[in-house]
Amino acid sequence: MIKHRLPIQQVNPAQPQIETWEHGEIWRGVQNIVIDLGTAHWYGQGSLGNQHWPLEKLAQYPAPFITSDNGTTGLLTLLHPFWLTSDGVGILVEGDDLTTSFNAPLTGEPPAHSFSHPSPLSERPRLASSLETDHALRISGHDLTLRFFVGENAREVVEAFWSNTPISPPPPAHLTENVLWTSWAHFKNDISHDKITAFAQKIVDYDFPCGHFGIDAKWQTQFGDTRFDPQKFPNPAETIQTLHAMGMQVTVWCVPFYTPQSEHFQPAIDQGYVIRRADGSPYIGQWWEGTAVFLDVTNPVAMQWHLNNLTHLHASVGLDGFKFDAGEGMFYHMPGTTRHDNGSPNRANHQYVEQIAARYPWSDTRSGWFNQSQPMLFRQWDKSSVWGYDNGLASCITQAMTLNLLGY
């Protein structure tokens, strides 16, 4: 019999059901498990604000394992509950609702953090070298299934994981071989026809490759609108034609949120397309640009309505596609709220990406939960203008390697 080979310290409450499969063992009915990290190096898990390599360099506090935008403990937008070691062992959790910690500090709490007062990314997660930690991977949830992989080395484990994970074919060559420019890095929300076209002209003048151009926030009057701001873009079709003439394909940025002044705010509420409180009133929550109602992405009718609004915009101004932002499970993890599908927050993230991919395959998105099979371009979370692993240049490499191991 092939053993799991992991130094398991504790499984609670009762002995799980154990069966064998071609790569190791499957444990069913797990509520809580503690695995000693041993002496091997650890990899996997997903994107982090402070993305060191390997994982045991970090100390992650216990937290719901939910895809997050700038998460309190460092969890970011693309997560997958798969961990593997340098000596040829892996563990995959089959379940959407779990809490984890990895090499957790024995004292203290996660730093105080919010959208308006974010804590330093270098502390999310913290470095383990200056802390006393439990040296363990802890996983808890309800009736989880754990799939253990055993191989001669890490490569065998990764390839076994890939062979048992639905993964999309490679994207069309033009998407990965051409440059993708965006207005966000240079202009943030301060954009207009004149600024966009002048910036694009500089790209041409300096003989940079054109490729794709993303018109990012804030091309619309209010966040959630699907019409261009007539003051900033008097003739949006002309803006896009100008960029096309320079050899660029053009996308615009969009989110599944509607601010109170948005054209879709009240219609979304009236049609029952937003997340609601238990009393039936619309839930108005926080995102990085303030308050909004949140599209219920688990309601297929609501998502089709949202995508239909975007399709109308797409056709009316001649767009080539969209940059889909947000969708992380943290936006659907609000106590006292209800959704069409009251499953886990991570499941909502999965459905968001799945429905986007069905309408606009090979679009650009930043979040994902078991979405490796979707024909999408998954981007890393916005990087800071720093050199290090704390969401800087170095983390572009470590995060790319991590997400590649996970099949993205």
Side-chain angles (χ1 to χ4, degrees):
M1 181 182 294
I2 301 173
K3 298 296 184 180
H4 55 76
R5 277 193 3 217
L6 284 171
I8 294 172
Q9 296 179 332
Q10 177 186 354
V11 180
N12 249 344
Q15 182 71 9
Q17 260 187 309
I18 300 177
E19 60 189 79
T20 61
W21 72 305
E22 60 179 321
H23 299 295
E25 294 178 352
I26 300 173
W27 291 19
R28 303 188 190 279
V30 175
Q31 315 296 323
N32 180 61
I33 189 168
V34 181
I35 302 171
D36 187 272
L37 299 184
T39 58
H41 297 306
W42 285 75
Y43 309 94
Q45 182 178 266
S47 55
L48 295 167
N50 195 18
Q51 191 92 45
H52 285 257
W53 177 281
L55 270 177
E56 72 271 9
K57 289 184 177 181
L58 297 168
Q60 301 175 44
Y61 284 99
F65 194 68
I66 295 175
T67 56
S68 301
D69 170 42
N70 205 2
T72 300
T73 61
L75 298 178
L76 288 183
T77 57
L78 281 155
L79 300 177
H80 197 79
F82 175 66
W83 294 262
L84 71 147
T85 72
S86 57
D87 58 2
V89 182
I91 177 172
L92 171 68
V93 181
E94 296 178 349
D96 297 318
D97 196 358
L98 57 150
T99 294
T100 69
S101 68
F102 188 93
N103 205 22
L106 294 177
T107 58
E109 297 179 350
H113 171 76
S114 66
F115 279 132
S116 55
H117 296 92
S119 59
L121 282 158
S122 58
E123 297 181 9
R124 292 185 284 123
R126 289 176 169 155
L127 283 173
S129 56
S130 60
L131 299 168
E132 188 178 1
T133 69
D134 66 4
H135 199 66
L137 167 61
R138 298 174 184 269
I139 303 167
S140 61
H142 176 68
D143 197 27
L144 300 174
T145 294
L146 307 184
R147 191 174 294 267
F148 293 94
F149 296 77
V150 178
E152 291 296 320
N153 49 51
R155 177 171 180 159
E156 283 192 6
V157 171
V158 170
E159 290 179 345
F161 168 70
W162 286 349
S163 70
N164 285 272
T165 301
I167 296 175
S168 74
H174 73 89
L175 290 176
T176 53
E177 293 176 3
N178 291 337
V179 175
L180 195 160
W181 299 90
T182 174
S183 64
W184 176 252
H186 191 65
F187 296 107
K188 298 298 187 285
N189 289 345
D190 186 19
I191 59 173
S192 66
H193 168 85
D194 290 342
K195 289 181 178 180
I196 292 292
T197 53
F199 182 56
Q201 187 60 53
K202 285 184 179 180
I203 294 169
V204 173
D205 292 345
Y206 283 104
D207 201 28
F208 287 119
C210 290
H212 307 266
F213 193 98
I215 300 176
D216 215 289
K218 185 172 182 246
W219 53 270
Q220 67 277 75
T221 306
Q222 302 293 337
F223 293 110
D225 288 353
T226 49
R227 289 184 292 185
F228 275 80
D229 183 331
Q231 300 301 315
K232 295 179 176 181
F233 296 90
N235 188 339
E238 180 185 328
T239 305
I240 293 163
Q241 288 170 6
T242 301
L243 296 173
H244 281 165
M246 295 178 185
M248 296 181 179
Q249 292 190 310
V250 186
T251 63
V252 298
W253 167 92
C254 57
V255 290
F257 311 135
Y258 310 110
T259 57
Q261 296 77 30
S262 166
E263 62 176 320
H264 297 307
F265 177 82
Q266 198 59 47
I269 293 172
D270 293 344
Q271 295 174 88
Y273 292 162
V274 301
I275 296 174
R276 294 184 176 272
R277 297 185 182 277
D279 63 5
S281 62
Y283 169 75
I284 299 179
Q286 291 289 322
W287 64 301
W288 63 90
E289 290 285 1
T291 61
V293 290
F294 295 178
L295 179 73
D296 184 354
V297 299
T298 71
N299 181 343
V301 177
M303 271 298 293
Q304 291 307 304
W305 172 79
H306 176 68
L307 292 171
N308 287 344
N309 290 332
L310 293 174
T311 297
H312 176 75
L313 171 69
H314 183 276
S316 65
V317 299
L319 287 170
D320 298 296
F322 295 95
K323 171 185 176 180
F324 290 95
D325 213 346
E328 292 82 11
M330 66 170 283
F331 294 112
Y332 308 99
H333 184 57
M334 307 303 174
T337 62
T338 62
R339 302 187 302 276
H340 177 78
D341 171 6
N342 281 317
S344 75
N346 283 330
R347 192 67 194 165
N349 191 165
H350 175 86
Q351 291 171 280
Y352 175 66
V353 175
E354 189 175 50
Q355 292 174 88
I356 288 168
R359 180 74 70 95
Y360 286 106
W362 297 118
S363 296
D364 172 2
T365 188
R366 73 173 191 185
S367 65
W369 176 261
F370 284 82
N371 287 119
Q372 292 95 327
S373 65
Q374 303 303 317
M376 296 290 285
L377 294 177
F378 292 92
R379 70 181 185 275
Q380 297 186 22
W381 195 64
D382 292 4
K383 297 302 179 191
S384 308
S385 295
V386 297
W387 294 109
Y389 296 102
D390 52 339
N391 202 51
L393 184 62
S395 73
C396 293
I397 300 169
T398 51
Q399 199 162 109
M401 293 192 297
T402 297
L403 296 175
N404 171 255
L405 290 177
L406 297 175
Y408 284 100

PDB file of all heavy atoms in Angstrom, residues 8-20:
ATOM      1  N   ILE A   8       1.875  13.522  10.026  1.00  0.00           N
ATOM      2  CA  ILE A   8       0.599  14.041  10.525  1.00  0.00           C
ATOM      3  C   ILE A   8       0.577  13.972  12.044  1.00  0.00           C
ATOM      4  O   ILE A   8       0.770  12.901  12.639  1.00  0.00           O
ATOM      5  CB  ILE A   8      -0.569  13.263   9.904  1.00  0.00           C
ATOM      6  CG1 ILE A   8      -0.610  13.553   8.397  1.00  0.00           C
ATOM      7  CG2 ILE A   8      -1.895  13.646  10.567  1.00  0.00           C
ATOM      8  CD1 ILE A   8      -1.593  12.716   7.633  1.00  0.00           C
ATOM      9  N   GLN A   9       0.356  15.104  12.677  1.00  0.00           N
ATOM     10  CA  GLN A   9       0.364  15.193  14.124  1.00  0.00           C
ATOM     11  C   GLN A   9      -1.000  14.873  14.730  1.00  0.00           C
ATOM     12  O   GLN A   9      -1.102  14.338  15.818  1.00  0.00           O
ATOM     13  CB  GLN A   9       0.780  16.607  14.573  1.00  0.00           C
ATOM     14  CG  GLN A   9       2.201  16.974  14.181  1.00  0.00           C
ATOM     15  CD  GLN A   9       2.545  18.379  14.633  1.00  0.00           C
ATOM     16  OE1 GLN A   9       1.670  19.240  14.763  1.00  0.00           O
ATOM     17  NE2 GLN A   9       3.828  18.641  14.866  1.00  0.00           N
ATOM     18  N   GLN A  10      -2.057  15.242  13.979  1.00  0.00           N
ATOM     19  CA  GLN A  10      -3.392  15.144  14.581  1.00  0.00           C
ATOM     20  C   GLN A  10      -4.445  15.117  13.482  1.00  0.00           C
ATOM     21  O   GLN A  10      -4.333  15.821  12.480  1.00  0.00           O
ATOM     22  CB  GLN A  10      -3.616  16.362  15.494  1.00  0.00           C
ATOM     23  CG  GLN A  10      -4.983  16.444  16.127  1.00  0.00           C
ATOM     24  CD  GLN A  10      -5.147  17.757  16.901  1.00  0.00           C
ATOM     25  OE1 GLN A  10      -4.217  18.528  17.044  1.00  0.00           O
ATOM     26  NE2 GLN A  10      -6.337  17.983  17.386  1.00  0.00           N
ATOM     27  N   VAL A  11      -5.455  14.285  13.660  1.00  0.00           N
ATOM     28  CA  VAL A  11      -6.641  14.298  12.809  1.00  0.00           C
ATOM     29  C   VAL A  11      -7.837  14.204  13.752  1.00  0.00           C
ATOM     30  O   VAL A  11      -7.894  13.309  14.599  1.00  0.00           O
ATOM     31  CB  VAL A  11      -6.669  13.124  11.813  1.00  0.00           C
ATOM     32  CG1 VAL A  11      -7.940  13.194  10.964  1.00  0.00           C
ATOM     33  CG2 VAL A  11      -5.453  13.140  10.926  1.00  0.00           C
ATOM     34  N   ASN A  12      -8.767  15.097  13.612  1.00  0.00           N
ATOM     35  CA  ASN A  12      -9.907  15.162  14.521  1.00  0.00           C
ATOM     36  C   ASN A  12     -11.203  15.312  13.740  1.00  0.00           C
ATOM     37  O   ASN A  12     -11.204  15.916  12.671  1.00  0.00           O
ATOM     38  CB  ASN A  12      -9.753  16.380  15.461  1.00  0.00           C
ATOM     39  CG  ASN A  12      -9.480  15.983  16.888  1.00  0.00           C
ATOM     40  OD1 ASN A  12      -9.677  14.838  17.270  1.00  0.00           O
ATOM     41  ND2 ASN A  12      -9.022  16.933  17.667  1.00  0.00           N
ATOM     42  N   PRO A  13     -12.331  14.869  14.281  1.00  0.00           N
ATOM     43  CA  PRO A  13     -12.467  14.225  15.594  1.00  0.00           C
ATOM     44  C   PRO A  13     -12.254  12.713  15.545  1.00  0.00           C
ATOM     45  O   PRO A  13     -11.823  12.117  16.511  1.00  0.00           O
ATOM     46  CB  PRO A  13     -13.896  14.543  15.996  1.00  0.00           C
ATOM     47  CG  PRO A  13     -14.618  14.639  14.684  1.00  0.00           C
ATOM     48  CD  PRO A  13     -13.635  15.195  13.702  1.00  0.00           C
ATOM     49  N   ALA A  14     -12.584  12.060  14.435  1.00  0.00           N
ATOM     50  CA  ALA A  14     -12.490  10.604  14.359  1.00  0.00           C
ATOM     51  C   ALA A  14     -11.596  10.218  13.194  1.00  0.00           C
ATOM     52  O   ALA A  14     -11.286  11.024  12.319  1.00  0.00           O
ATOM     53  CB  ALA A  14     -13.888   9.994  14.178  1.00  0.00           C
ATOM     54  N   GLN A  15     -11.156   8.965  13.195  1.00  0.00           N
ATOM     55  CA  GLN A  15     -10.334   8.475  12.097  1.00  0.00           C
ATOM     56  C   GLN A  15     -11.107   8.598  10.786  1.00  0.00           C
ATOM     57  O   GLN A  15     -12.240   8.134  10.669  1.00  0.00           O
ATOM     58  CB  GLN A  15      -9.963   7.010  12.342  1.00  0.00           C
ATOM     59  CG  GLN A  15      -9.067   6.398  11.275  1.00  0.00           C
ATOM     60  CD  GLN A  15      -7.647   6.952  11.312  1.00  0.00           C
ATOM     61  OE1 GLN A  15      -7.284   7.666  12.230  1.00  0.00           O
ATOM     62  NE2 GLN A  15      -6.855   6.629  10.301  1.00  0.00           N
ATOM     63  N   PRO A  16     -10.542   9.238   9.771  1.00  0.00           N
ATOM     64  CA  PRO A  16     -11.260   9.387   8.509  1.00  0.00           C
ATOM     65  C   PRO A  16     -11.342   8.061   7.758  1.00  0.00           C
ATOM     66  O   PRO A  16     -10.624   7.101   8.061  1.00  0.00           O
ATOM     67  CB  PRO A  16     -10.402  10.395   7.744  1.00  0.00           C
ATOM     68  CG  PRO A  16      -9.026  10.232   8.295  1.00  0.00           C
ATOM     69  CD  PRO A  16      -9.207   9.868   9.748  1.00  0.00           C
ATOM     70  N   GLN A  17     -12.225   8.029   6.770  1.00  0.00           N
ATOM     71  CA  GLN A  17     -12.283   6.896   5.842  1.00  0.00           C
ATOM     72  C   GLN A  17     -11.075   6.985   4.926  1.00  0.00           C
ATOM     73  O   GLN A  17     -10.848   8.019   4.286  1.00  0.00           O
ATOM     74  CB  GLN A  17     -13.545   6.981   4.990  1.00  0.00           C
ATOM     75  CG  GLN A  17     -14.682   6.100   5.448  1.00  0.00           C
ATOM     76  CD  GLN A  17     -15.796   6.153   4.424  1.00  0.00           C
ATOM     77  OE1 GLN A  17     -16.234   7.227   4.027  1.00  0.00           O
ATOM     78  NE2 GLN A  17     -16.260   5.000   3.995  1.00  0.00           N
ATOM     79  N   ILE A  18     -10.313   5.901   4.800  1.00  0.00           N
ATOM     80  CA  ILE A  18      -9.105   5.932   3.990  1.00  0.00           C
ATOM     81  C   ILE A  18      -9.210   4.896   2.876  1.00  0.00           C
ATOM     82  O   ILE A  18      -9.602   3.752   3.108  1.00  0.00           O
ATOM     83  CB  ILE A  18      -7.844   5.649   4.843  1.00  0.00           C
ATOM     84  CG1 ILE A  18      -7.706   6.715   5.943  1.00  0.00           C
ATOM     85  CG2 ILE A  18      -6.595   5.635   3.971  1.00  0.00           C
ATOM     86  CD1 ILE A  18      -6.531   6.478   6.876  1.00  0.00           C
ATOM     87  N   GLU A  19      -8.885   5.336   1.656  1.00  0.00           N
ATOM     88  CA  GLU A  19      -8.810   4.426   0.515  1.00  0.00           C
ATOM     89  C   GLU A  19      -7.562   4.767  -0.282  1.00  0.00           C
ATOM     90  O   GLU A  19      -6.973   5.836  -0.107  1.00  0.00           O
ATOM     91  CB  GLU A  19     -10.067   4.542  -0.352  1.00  0.00           C
ATOM     92  CG  GLU A  19     -10.287   5.934  -0.928  1.00  0.00           C
ATOM     93  CD  GLU A  19     -11.643   6.095  -1.599  1.00  0.00           C
ATOM     94  OE1 GLU A  19     -12.644   6.280  -0.880  1.00  0.00           O
ATOM     95  OE2 GLU A  19     -11.667   6.050  -2.851  1.00  0.00           O
ATOM     96  N   THR A  20      -7.148   3.877  -1.130  1.00  0.00           N
ATOM     97  CA  THR A  20      -5.964   4.133  -1.954  1.00  0.00           C
ATOM     98  C   THR A  20      -6.381   4.511  -3.367  1.00  0.00           C
ATOM     99  O   THR A  20      -7.463   4.170  -3.823  1.00  0.00           O
ATOM    100  CB  THR A  20      -5.042   2.901  -1.995  1.00  0.00           C
ATOM    101  OG1 THR A  20      -5.755   1.805  -2.559  1.00  0.00           O
ATOM    102  CG2 THR A  20      -4.548   2.550  -0.613  1.00  0.00           C
TER     103      THR A  20
END
